[in-house]
Amino acid sequence: MKKTASPKKTPRKRSAKGGRKPWFWKLFVRLSLIGLVLLAGWTVYLDAVVTSRFEGRRFEVPSRVYARPLELYDGASVSAGALERELELAGYRGDGSGAAGTYRRNGGQFRIHTRGFRFNDGEEPRRSLSLSIFGDRVQQFAVVEGPSSPIVRLEPAQIGGIYPAHNEDRVLVELEQVPELFRNTLMAVEDREFYDHFGIAPLSIARAMLANIRAGEIVQGGSTLTQQLVKNLFLTRDQTLLRKGNEALMSLLLEFHYRKDDILETYMNEVYVGQAGTRAIHGFGLASQFYYGESISDLAPHQIAMLVGLVKGPSYYNPRQNPERARSRRNLVLGVMAEAGLISEQEASRARGQPLGVTGRASWSENRYPAYIDLVRRHLARDYRQEDLQSEGLRIFTTLNPSIQYAAEFAVSDTLNSLDERVEGKLESAMVVTSRDSGEVLALVGGRDPKFAGFNRAVDAWRPIGSLVKPFVYLTALQNPDQYTLVTPVKDEAFSLVFDDGRRWQPKNYDGEERGEVPLHRALSRSYNLPTVRVGLDVGVEAVKTTLQNFGMTGDISEYPSMLLGSVAMTPVTVAQIYQGLATSGFNTPLRTIRQVTDSGGEALTRYSLKVEQVADAAAVHLVQYAMQEAMQEGTGRSAYRTVPEELTLAGKTGTTDDGRDSWFAGFSGDLLAVTWVGRDDNGPTSLSGATGALPVWSRFMSRVPQHGFSPVVPDGVEYHWVNSEKAALTDEHCENARYMPFIVGSEPDIEATCGGSIERRLRSWFEGVFE
Amino acid sequence: MKSELMKRWALVALVSGLSACASGPGGSIYVPAGEEAPRAPEPPRVDPGTQEPGVVRKSEQPETPEPRSPSYQDQGDELSPAARSLVQKADSLLASGDARAAVSQLERAQRIAPRSSEVYFALSRAYMALDQLGTAEQFTLKGLSLAGSDAAAQRSGWLLLAEVRRARGNMAGADQAEARAASL
């Protein structure tokens, strides 16, 4: 609202002497007239202020950001601990009272009473669910009460909001949604004559004074609800007589123009009822969610009493911080309710015995996931204006998976703490986790302190990706099966390139060794540099660049050969994007953080649908996936299995840049794709490689999430053969060095290398045959 | 899935005297978090909530029994009953002309059954109804990439692809796809 400069005062001049001379009367009448005109003018001005503000009384309602809803069904992948965290994040209470929004846990057994939620694609009604969790999976899932269904979505937890500049947060309610008891209690406590007065009530001021004196403390305030509303809507907090005058005048004007119900409704949405960090909680709609995780229409008498009682002093009577004070205030209000005949004396005394019952903490704390919300905001900025996000009460349904986020944050901070002991300089890290087949961003960590809303490394740290580029070099090569297969021998020998301008480039292996000739699959799984550059130069830097672009790399890529060893810079999110295609047999899936945006009424505004686009030959990608699995089992990624369960098959790639400035790991299981970066903000050297910096973070994360192993479906046109990869020859299963490897049909070796074959080996092979 | 696991462990148990059993084709295996291998049923957990992160189970890791080799599988996953219920819901939405709502349900199904070709074929049909043929074609290809050796899935995938391509005016591509279907 526009504030006026201090208003002109009615000129008041005292006549110097008591003499009643005609000139005095003349002056008096004139001054009075001027005064009246000014007052009238002032009133007209105030009237304009009151009406324009109240007419256009569209509260700015922040957008709400939700996590993905948890789907519960037989076989759903969730640990008992994760389910419990998830329930608490959504504001469920574990008191087992059986009310909506509560749950009871007994070991792995859960009984959950959902509140129901209106999703845009259909309603999830209230239900009681029974399930048990065994081996991190949901079993014996059953709907005990409510419409039955083999799969049920919990209400999504709110994980953040996009607030107007003044940080006011509210959930608008209409008067009809507010229980009658609530309205009557509010009036009984704050303004008994609300429906009878005309904005100000001198009598009730007197009565309030009397009541306060009797009670020995302030139980009633003298201002009407209208005056309180005017104070909140139009006036500053300073207590001046002038302000009091304005308040009274504006209250009268408000009452003159508007219906009582409109005024009451606005009051209920405006009233200040608490604070969460920098976020101001306004209105009873949000208050009931903020304190009880309930909708205002479901409140019990003791909860109504608490919320109404809070109006008098939201921080003084804060039930989370000052439970005793809050309880006595609540019970006092219950007394007022009984006295006014709103509830019976028995009901009041029963309600007095109730615990305060506020949710442990606000159902979500502000900016719990700053890095993730940051990415959400950037995605929203493509389609929405900032002022609409801050004021239109939009609902933004994201893809954040709180359990995965929790595991990722933990893996980053815990591993970095242990790395600190071994590494100089302040290490930082970032992590992105996506769903392998849908491209949904499930978790994002922007730094080692996940609560810190600062530099978001996952999105903004452009760092050379080192050997993470190698799978794309070999993929480009393997798309020509006539020239390259997994067993093609490639030279691991030093060489130097001389450019036109005379500069020389002499790539080296990480360990400085040279091995003569190695089969291609080993060159990739061991991340040898020399063979990679040779292969890359053979297929052409330009072709590798095209592959990267097809997989979703945007921005400039240098065409210097050093690009083949990853001199190209990317952010962790970009790496996750280009690895999506590698993880899914060549289908590029755009990364998404938002499934849908709806308006405040739940109508869909924008959907961000799953899209896939084949960008590479599935057969060639399958071969690269083989080598990336080999990297985990025998190559640069094998130390992951110090932490990860043996059964979890994984595929991945390390990346290291000069002097350990960047330590990368990117890899995937059957369900998840994760990218980790570790390094220093000042780009200083570290003693880390991809395997000793980023990989420990990655594997600690993977070990903590229940999931399926990576096991790609063999695509059309690929066959497996037993080969001796050193000799690039077909061989027998029982021979030494025999590997069962995929080939694009027709590209398998045409020479054979048989072995003598001991009895023992033949026997073993026979045994295996029996059990296959 | 279960039988696969049992088969695996029976194999390990019986042939444990012999090293290096090549891991042949197997489906992807579900691995609970941070647990050792599902060698024995998990003991009832009293309060896993107190199991704070930070427990590194290095010492509890079983010895690596034998070198492993990269995993693959011959076909994608079956639809779970939960996913099937969503696909059925989508089918009836599609039948009643609400393709947009069908897509929503199918995306839910895809999230819980991402390795089943059936879901992608269903998405393809919904996008055909929405006249987004390019999207439909891509989903068919994605579904086909998961069909593997499942002849029925291959067949319905290639026929669907023929249909989409024909709708897009790609007659040669459609004939090709049809020929693939016929050869199965």
Side-chain angles (χ1 to χ4, degrees), chain A residues 253-280:
Chain A
L253 289 166
L254 205 60
E255 293 271 351
F256 176 73
H257 283 292
Y258 301 102
R259 293 179 17 234
K260 288 280 183 186
D261 282 353
D262 289 339
I263 292 168
L264 186 60
E265 185 179 285
T266 311
Y267 177 91
M268 293 190 124
N269 284 314
E270 173 55 37
V271 64
Y272 171 74
V273 284
Q275 191 75 29
T278 59
R279 189 167 61 107

PDB file of all heavy atoms in Angstrom, chain A residues 253-280:
ATOM      1  N   LEU A 253     -15.294   3.524   7.739  1.00  0.00           N
ATOM      2  CA  LEU A 253     -15.422   3.492   6.286  1.00  0.00           C
ATOM      3  C   LEU A 253     -15.545   2.069   5.768  1.00  0.00           C
ATOM      4  O   LEU A 253     -16.337   1.765   4.890  1.00  0.00           O
ATOM      5  CB  LEU A 253     -14.214   4.177   5.640  1.00  0.00           C
ATOM      6  CG  LEU A 253     -14.176   5.698   5.806  1.00  0.00           C
ATOM      7  CD1 LEU A 253     -12.791   6.238   5.430  1.00  0.00           C
ATOM      8  CD2 LEU A 253     -15.256   6.350   4.943  1.00  0.00           C
ATOM      9  N   LEU A 254     -14.721   1.191   6.364  1.00  0.00           N
ATOM     10  CA  LEU A 254     -14.730  -0.203   5.937  1.00  0.00           C
ATOM     11  C   LEU A 254     -16.111  -0.809   6.172  1.00  0.00           C
ATOM     12  O   LEU A 254     -16.674  -1.492   5.309  1.00  0.00           O
ATOM     13  CB  LEU A 254     -13.663  -0.959   6.735  1.00  0.00           C
ATOM     14  CG  LEU A 254     -13.082  -2.219   6.114  1.00  0.00           C
ATOM     15  CD1 LEU A 254     -12.419  -1.919   4.791  1.00  0.00           C
ATOM     16  CD2 LEU A 254     -12.067  -2.842   7.071  1.00  0.00           C
ATOM     17  N   GLU A 255     -16.650  -0.527   7.357  1.00  0.00           N
ATOM     18  CA  GLU A 255     -17.956  -1.080   7.709  1.00  0.00           C
ATOM     19  C   GLU A 255     -19.048  -0.490   6.829  1.00  0.00           C
ATOM     20  O   GLU A 255     -20.025  -1.142   6.510  1.00  0.00           O
ATOM     21  CB  GLU A 255     -18.272  -0.779   9.181  1.00  0.00           C
ATOM     22  CG  GLU A 255     -17.368  -1.495  10.151  1.00  0.00           C
ATOM     23  CD  GLU A 255     -17.901  -2.877  10.530  1.00  0.00           C
ATOM     24  OE1 GLU A 255     -19.052  -3.188  10.161  1.00  0.00           O
ATOM     25  OE2 GLU A 255     -17.157  -3.628  11.177  1.00  0.00           O
ATOM     26  N   PHE A 256     -18.846   0.775   6.454  1.00  0.00           N
ATOM     27  CA  PHE A 256     -19.839   1.440   5.624  1.00  0.00           C
ATOM     28  C   PHE A 256     -19.903   0.778   4.248  1.00  0.00           C
ATOM     29  O   PHE A 256     -20.952   0.588   3.671  1.00  0.00           O
ATOM     30  CB  PHE A 256     -19.467   2.921   5.505  1.00  0.00           C
ATOM     31  CG  PHE A 256     -20.374   3.681   4.596  1.00  0.00           C
ATOM     32  CD1 PHE A 256     -21.676   3.996   5.004  1.00  0.00           C
ATOM     33  CD2 PHE A 256     -19.954   4.095   3.335  1.00  0.00           C
ATOM     34  CE1 PHE A 256     -22.526   4.697   4.169  1.00  0.00           C
ATOM     35  CE2 PHE A 256     -20.800   4.791   2.492  1.00  0.00           C
ATOM     36  CZ  PHE A 256     -22.093   5.093   2.907  1.00  0.00           C
ATOM     37  N   HIS A 257     -18.732   0.369   3.745  1.00  0.00           N
ATOM     38  CA  HIS A 257     -18.673  -0.151   2.380  1.00  0.00           C
ATOM     39  C   HIS A 257     -18.918  -1.651   2.271  1.00  0.00           C
ATOM     40  O   HIS A 257     -19.385  -2.119   1.256  1.00  0.00           O
ATOM     41  CB  HIS A 257     -17.301   0.136   1.757  1.00  0.00           C
ATOM     42  CG  HIS A 257     -17.125   1.543   1.301  1.00  0.00           C
ATOM     43  ND1 HIS A 257     -17.832   2.066   0.242  1.00  0.00           N
ATOM     44  CD2 HIS A 257     -16.331   2.539   1.760  1.00  0.00           C
ATOM     45  CE1 HIS A 257     -17.470   3.319   0.065  1.00  0.00           C
ATOM     46  NE2 HIS A 257     -16.566   3.639   0.978  1.00  0.00           N
ATOM     47  N   TYR A 258     -18.518  -2.412   3.300  1.00  0.00           N
ATOM     48  CA  TYR A 258     -18.476  -3.867   3.098  1.00  0.00           C
ATOM     49  C   TYR A 258     -19.319  -4.630   4.104  1.00  0.00           C
ATOM     50  O   TYR A 258     -19.580  -4.151   5.207  1.00  0.00           O
ATOM     51  CB  TYR A 258     -17.028  -4.367   3.142  1.00  0.00           C
ATOM     52  CG  TYR A 258     -16.192  -3.708   2.089  1.00  0.00           C
ATOM     53  CD1 TYR A 258     -15.322  -2.673   2.409  1.00  0.00           C
ATOM     54  CD2 TYR A 258     -16.324  -4.088   0.758  1.00  0.00           C
ATOM     55  CE1 TYR A 258     -14.587  -2.039   1.433  1.00  0.00           C
ATOM     56  CE2 TYR A 258     -15.600  -3.452  -0.229  1.00  0.00           C
ATOM     57  CZ  TYR A 258     -14.730  -2.420   0.110  1.00  0.00           C
ATOM     58  OH  TYR A 258     -14.021  -1.800  -0.868  1.00  0.00           O
ATOM     59  N   ARG A 259     -19.660  -5.863   3.676  1.00  0.00           N
ATOM     60  CA  ARG A 259     -20.450  -6.732   4.544  1.00  0.00           C
ATOM     61  C   ARG A 259     -19.571  -7.277   5.665  1.00  0.00           C
ATOM     62  O   ARG A 259     -18.371  -7.433   5.513  1.00  0.00           O
ATOM     63  CB  ARG A 259     -21.029  -7.893   3.730  1.00  0.00           C
ATOM     64  CG  ARG A 259     -22.071  -7.435   2.714  1.00  0.00           C
ATOM     65  CD  ARG A 259     -22.605  -8.603   1.911  1.00  0.00           C
ATOM     66  NE  ARG A 259     -22.317  -9.889   2.563  1.00  0.00           N
ATOM     67  CZ  ARG A 259     -21.692 -10.891   1.954  1.00  0.00           C
ATOM     68  NH1 ARG A 259     -21.301 -10.772   0.719  1.00  0.00           N
ATOM     69  NH2 ARG A 259     -21.478 -12.012   2.600  1.00  0.00           N
ATOM     70  N   LYS A 260     -20.227  -7.591   6.766  1.00  0.00           N
ATOM     71  CA  LYS A 260     -19.501  -8.121   7.921  1.00  0.00           C
ATOM     72  C   LYS A 260     -18.720  -9.381   7.551  1.00  0.00           C
ATOM     73  O   LYS A 260     -17.585  -9.579   7.976  1.00  0.00           O
ATOM     74  CB  LYS A 260     -20.499  -8.445   9.039  1.00  0.00           C
ATOM     75  CG  LYS A 260     -21.078  -7.233   9.720  1.00  0.00           C
ATOM     76  CD  LYS A 260     -20.102  -6.675  10.736  1.00  0.00           C
ATOM     77  CE  LYS A 260     -20.731  -5.495  11.479  1.00  0.00           C
ATOM     78  NZ  LYS A 260     -19.754  -4.850  12.377  1.00  0.00           N
ATOM     79  N   ASP A 261     -19.367 -10.239   6.754  1.00  0.00           N
ATOM     80  CA  ASP A 261     -18.724 -11.503   6.406  1.00  0.00           C
ATOM     81  C   ASP A 261     -17.435 -11.284   5.616  1.00  0.00           C
ATOM     82  O   ASP A 261     -16.448 -11.992   5.799  1.00  0.00           O
ATOM     83  CB  ASP A 261     -19.686 -12.390   5.593  1.00  0.00           C
ATOM     84  CG  ASP A 261     -20.706 -13.071   6.486  1.00  0.00           C
ATOM     85  OD1 ASP A 261     -20.567 -12.947   7.737  1.00  0.00           O
ATOM     86  OD2 ASP A 261     -21.624 -13.717   5.965  1.00  0.00           O
ATOM     87  N   ASP A 262     -17.467 -10.283   4.726  1.00  0.00           N
ATOM     88  CA  ASP A 262     -16.247  -9.988   3.965  1.00  0.00           C
ATOM     89  C   ASP A 262     -15.126  -9.534   4.887  1.00  0.00           C
ATOM     90  O   ASP A 262     -13.970  -9.903   4.720  1.00  0.00           O
ATOM     91  CB  ASP A 262     -16.527  -8.877   2.941  1.00  0.00           C
ATOM     92  CG  ASP A 262     -17.413  -9.374   1.817  1.00  0.00           C
ATOM     93  OD1 ASP A 262     -17.464 -10.603   1.620  1.00  0.00           O
ATOM     94  OD2 ASP A 262     -18.061  -8.538   1.158  1.00  0.00           O
ATOM     95  N   ILE A 263     -15.518  -8.721   5.839  1.00  0.00           N
ATOM     96  CA  ILE A 263     -14.514  -8.203   6.757  1.00  0.00           C
ATOM     97  C   ILE A 263     -13.936  -9.345   7.598  1.00  0.00           C
ATOM     98  O   ILE A 263     -12.723  -9.461   7.776  1.00  0.00           O
ATOM     99  CB  ILE A 263     -15.127  -7.112   7.652  1.00  0.00           C
ATOM    100  CG1 ILE A 263     -15.469  -5.894   6.780  1.00  0.00           C
ATOM    101  CG2 ILE A 263     -14.184  -6.726   8.772  1.00  0.00           C
ATOM    102  CD1 ILE A 263     -16.334  -4.855   7.458  1.00  0.00           C
ATOM    103  N   LEU A 264     -14.835 -10.220   8.064  1.00  0.00           N
ATOM    104  CA  LEU A 264     -14.380 -11.333   8.894  1.00  0.00           C
ATOM    105  C   LEU A 264     -13.458 -12.265   8.104  1.00  0.00           C
ATOM    106  O   LEU A 264     -12.413 -12.703   8.594  1.00  0.00           O
ATOM    107  CB  LEU A 264     -15.602 -12.109   9.428  1.00  0.00           C
ATOM    108  CG  LEU A 264     -15.289 -13.224  10.422  1.00  0.00           C
ATOM    109  CD1 LEU A 264     -14.577 -12.674  11.655  1.00  0.00           C
ATOM    110  CD2 LEU A 264     -16.562 -13.957  10.832  1.00  0.00           C
ATOM    111  N   GLU A 265     -13.845 -12.537   6.873  1.00  0.00           N
ATOM    112  CA  GLU A 265     -13.021 -13.440   6.051  1.00  0.00           C
ATOM    113  C   GLU A 265     -11.627 -12.856   5.821  1.00  0.00           C
ATOM    114  O   GLU A 265     -10.616 -13.543   5.942  1.00  0.00           O
ATOM    115  CB  GLU A 265     -13.718 -13.692   4.706  1.00  0.00           C
ATOM    116  CG  GLU A 265     -13.011 -14.715   3.841  1.00  0.00           C
ATOM    117  CD  GLU A 265     -13.753 -14.957   2.526  1.00  0.00           C
ATOM    118  OE1 GLU A 265     -14.790 -15.643   2.563  1.00  0.00           O
ATOM    119  OE2 GLU A 265     -13.295 -14.462   1.487  1.00  0.00           O
ATOM    120  N   THR A 266     -11.615 -11.563   5.519  1.00  0.00           N
ATOM    121  CA  THR A 266     -10.324 -10.929   5.299  1.00  0.00           C
ATOM    122  C   THR A 266      -9.480 -10.963   6.575  1.00  0.00           C
ATOM    123  O   THR A 266      -8.282 -11.238   6.536  1.00  0.00           O
ATOM    124  CB  THR A 266     -10.517  -9.469   4.862  1.00  0.00           C
ATOM    125  OG1 THR A 266     -11.472  -9.462   3.802  1.00  0.00           O
ATOM    126  CG2 THR A 266      -9.231  -8.867   4.382  1.00  0.00           C
ATOM    127  N   TYR A 267     -10.138 -10.711   7.698  1.00  0.00           N
ATOM    128  CA  TYR A 267      -9.434 -10.764   8.979  1.00  0.00           C
ATOM    129  C   TYR A 267      -8.772 -12.134   9.161  1.00  0.00           C
ATOM    130  O   TYR A 267      -7.605 -12.245   9.530  1.00  0.00           O
ATOM    131  CB  TYR A 267     -10.407 -10.497  10.128  1.00  0.00           C
ATOM    132  CG  TYR A 267      -9.759 -10.596  11.485  1.00  0.00           C
ATOM    133  CD1 TYR A 267      -9.194  -9.480  12.090  1.00  0.00           C
ATOM    134  CD2 TYR A 267      -9.692 -11.815  12.163  1.00  0.00           C
ATOM    135  CE1 TYR A 267      -8.583  -9.568  13.322  1.00  0.00           C
ATOM    136  CE2 TYR A 267      -9.080 -11.918  13.391  1.00  0.00           C
ATOM    137  CZ  TYR A 267      -8.526 -10.796  13.976  1.00  0.00           C
ATOM    138  OH  TYR A 267      -7.905 -10.889  15.191  1.00  0.00           O
ATOM    139  N   MET A 268      -9.554 -13.181   8.879  1.00  0.00           N
ATOM    140  CA  MET A 268      -9.046 -14.530   9.123  1.00  0.00           C
ATOM    141  C   MET A 268      -7.880 -14.888   8.221  1.00  0.00           C
ATOM    142  O   MET A 268      -7.079 -15.755   8.542  1.00  0.00           O
ATOM    143  CB  MET A 268     -10.169 -15.544   8.939  1.00  0.00           C
ATOM    144  CG  MET A 268     -11.233 -15.380  10.007  1.00  0.00           C
ATOM    145  SD  MET A 268     -12.384 -16.734   9.958  1.00  0.00           S
ATOM    146  CE  MET A 268     -12.274 -17.320  11.630  1.00  0.00           C
ATOM    147  N   ASN A 269      -7.780 -14.241   7.090  1.00  0.00           N
ATOM    148  CA  ASN A 269      -6.660 -14.512   6.190  1.00  0.00           C
ATOM    149  C   ASN A 269      -5.474 -13.602   6.456  1.00  0.00           C
ATOM    150  O   ASN A 269      -4.355 -13.892   6.038  1.00  0.00           O
ATOM    151  CB  ASN A 269      -7.099 -14.366   4.731  1.00  0.00           C
ATOM    152  CG  ASN A 269      -7.925 -15.543   4.271  1.00  0.00           C
ATOM    153  OD1 ASN A 269      -7.565 -16.687   4.519  1.00  0.00           O
ATOM    154  ND2 ASN A 269      -9.051 -15.264   3.639  1.00  0.00           N
ATOM    155  N   GLU A 270      -5.745 -12.489   7.151  1.00  0.00           N
ATOM    156  CA  GLU A 270      -4.697 -11.502   7.328  1.00  0.00           C
ATOM    157  C   GLU A 270      -3.927 -11.695   8.639  1.00  0.00           C
ATOM    158  O   GLU A 270      -2.731 -11.457   8.715  1.00  0.00           O
ATOM    159  CB  GLU A 270      -5.312 -10.094   7.285  1.00  0.00           C
ATOM    160  CG  GLU A 270      -4.367  -8.953   7.615  1.00  0.00           C
ATOM    161  CD  GLU A 270      -3.127  -8.935   6.744  1.00  0.00           C
ATOM    162  OE1 GLU A 270      -3.251  -9.252   5.547  1.00  0.00           O
ATOM    163  OE2 GLU A 270      -2.037  -8.624   7.255  1.00  0.00           O
ATOM    164  N   VAL A 271      -4.642 -12.142   9.662  1.00  0.00           N
ATOM    165  CA  VAL A 271      -4.093 -12.139  11.017  1.00  0.00           C
ATOM    166  C   VAL A 271      -2.739 -12.860  11.080  1.00  0.00           C
ATOM    167  O   VAL A 271      -2.515 -13.886  10.447  1.00  0.00           O
ATOM    168  CB  VAL A 271      -5.111 -12.775  11.992  1.00  0.00           C
ATOM    169  CG1 VAL A 271      -5.353 -14.226  11.655  1.00  0.00           C
ATOM    170  CG2 VAL A 271      -4.671 -12.616  13.432  1.00  0.00           C
ATOM    171  N   TYR A 272      -1.840 -12.250  11.859  1.00  0.00           N
ATOM    172  CA  TYR A 272      -0.491 -12.796  11.991  1.00  0.00           C
ATOM    173  C   TYR A 272      -0.456 -13.810  13.126  1.00  0.00           C
ATOM    174  O   TYR A 272      -0.891 -13.512  14.238  1.00  0.00           O
ATOM    175  CB  TYR A 272       0.476 -11.639  12.271  1.00  0.00           C
ATOM    176  CG  TYR A 272       1.866 -12.064  12.653  1.00  0.00           C
ATOM    177  CD1 TYR A 272       2.746 -12.560  11.700  1.00  0.00           C
ATOM    178  CD2 TYR A 272       2.307 -11.961  13.968  1.00  0.00           C
ATOM    179  CE1 TYR A 272       4.026 -12.952  12.053  1.00  0.00           C
ATOM    180  CE2 TYR A 272       3.593 -12.344  14.329  1.00  0.00           C
ATOM    181  CZ  TYR A 272       4.447 -12.847  13.370  1.00  0.00           C
ATOM    182  OH  TYR A 272       5.712 -13.231  13.723  1.00  0.00           O
ATOM    183  N   VAL A 273       0.016 -15.013  12.851  1.00  0.00           N
ATOM    184  CA  VAL A 273      -0.079 -16.063  13.873  1.00  0.00           C
ATOM    185  C   VAL A 273       1.217 -16.808  14.136  1.00  0.00           C
ATOM    186  O   VAL A 273       1.224 -17.801  14.856  1.00  0.00           O
ATOM    187  CB  VAL A 273      -1.152 -17.115  13.489  1.00  0.00           C
ATOM    188  CG1 VAL A 273      -2.531 -16.575  13.737  1.00  0.00           C
ATOM    189  CG2 VAL A 273      -0.972 -17.565  12.062  1.00  0.00           C
ATOM    190  N   GLY A 274       2.312 -16.353  13.571  1.00  0.00           N
ATOM    191  CA  GLY A 274       3.549 -17.051  13.898  1.00  0.00           C
ATOM    192  C   GLY A 274       4.657 -16.734  12.915  1.00  0.00           C
ATOM    193  O   GLY A 274       4.452 -16.029  11.926  1.00  0.00           O
ATOM    194  N   GLN A 275       5.814 -17.280  13.219  1.00  0.00           N
ATOM    195  CA  GLN A 275       6.989 -16.984  12.422  1.00  0.00           C
ATOM    196  C   GLN A 275       7.789 -18.264  12.241  1.00  0.00           C
ATOM    197  O   GLN A 275       7.916 -19.047  13.167  1.00  0.00           O
ATOM    198  CB  GLN A 275       7.836 -15.934  13.163  1.00  0.00           C
ATOM    199  CG  GLN A 275       8.958 -15.337  12.343  1.00  0.00           C
ATOM    200  CD  GLN A 275       8.462 -14.330  11.304  1.00  0.00           C
ATOM    201  OE1 GLN A 275       7.450 -13.686  11.492  1.00  0.00           O
ATOM    202  NE2 GLN A 275       9.173 -14.236  10.188  1.00  0.00           N
ATOM    203  N   ALA A 276       8.280 -18.492  11.046  1.00  0.00           N
ATOM    204  CA  ALA A 276       9.189 -19.616  10.815  1.00  0.00           C
ATOM    205  C   ALA A 276      10.393 -19.070  10.085  1.00  0.00           C
ATOM    206  O   ALA A 276      10.352 -18.841   8.883  1.00  0.00           O
ATOM    207  CB  ALA A 276       8.511 -20.704   9.992  1.00  0.00           C
ATOM    208  N   GLY A 277      11.441 -18.815  10.820  1.00  0.00           N
ATOM    209  CA  GLY A 277      12.602 -18.180  10.196  1.00  0.00           C
ATOM    210  C   GLY A 277      12.218 -16.799   9.708  1.00  0.00           C
ATOM    211  O   GLY A 277      11.655 -16.002  10.457  1.00  0.00           O
ATOM    212  N   THR A 278      12.477 -16.530   8.456  1.00  0.00           N
ATOM    213  CA  THR A 278      12.130 -15.215   7.931  1.00  0.00           C
ATOM    214  C   THR A 278      10.707 -15.186   7.393  1.00  0.00           C
ATOM    215  O   THR A 278      10.242 -14.177   6.902  1.00  0.00           O
ATOM    216  CB  THR A 278      13.058 -14.841   6.763  1.00  0.00           C
ATOM    217  OG1 THR A 278      12.923 -15.852   5.746  1.00  0.00           O
ATOM    218  CG2 THR A 278      14.498 -14.776   7.197  1.00  0.00           C
ATOM    219  N   ARG A 279      10.041 -16.311   7.507  1.00  0.00           N
ATOM    220  CA  ARG A 279       8.728 -16.436   6.891  1.00  0.00           C
ATOM    221  C   ARG A 279       7.650 -16.108   7.917  1.00  0.00           C
ATOM    222  O   ARG A 279       7.631 -16.672   9.007  1.00  0.00           O
ATOM    223  CB  ARG A 279       8.571 -17.881   6.415  1.00  0.00           C
ATOM    224  CG  ARG A 279       7.382 -18.160   5.570  1.00  0.00           C
ATOM    225  CD  ARG A 279       7.567 -19.529   4.948  1.00  0.00           C
ATOM    226  NE  ARG A 279       7.656 -20.566   5.960  1.00  0.00           N
ATOM    227  CZ  ARG A 279       6.695 -21.447   6.205  1.00  0.00           C
ATOM    228  NH1 ARG A 279       5.589 -21.434   5.503  1.00  0.00           N
ATOM    229  NH2 ARG A 279       6.859 -22.361   7.133  1.00  0.00           N
ATOM    230  N   ALA A 280       6.779 -15.159   7.581  1.00  0.00           N
ATOM    231  CA  ALA A 280       5.723 -14.774   8.488  1.00  0.00           C
ATOM    232  C   ALA A 280       4.468 -15.588   8.177  1.00  0.00           C
ATOM    233  O   ALA A 280       4.036 -15.647   7.029  1.00  0.00           O
ATOM    234  CB  ALA A 280       5.423 -13.290   8.350  1.00  0.00           C
TER     235      ALA A 280
END
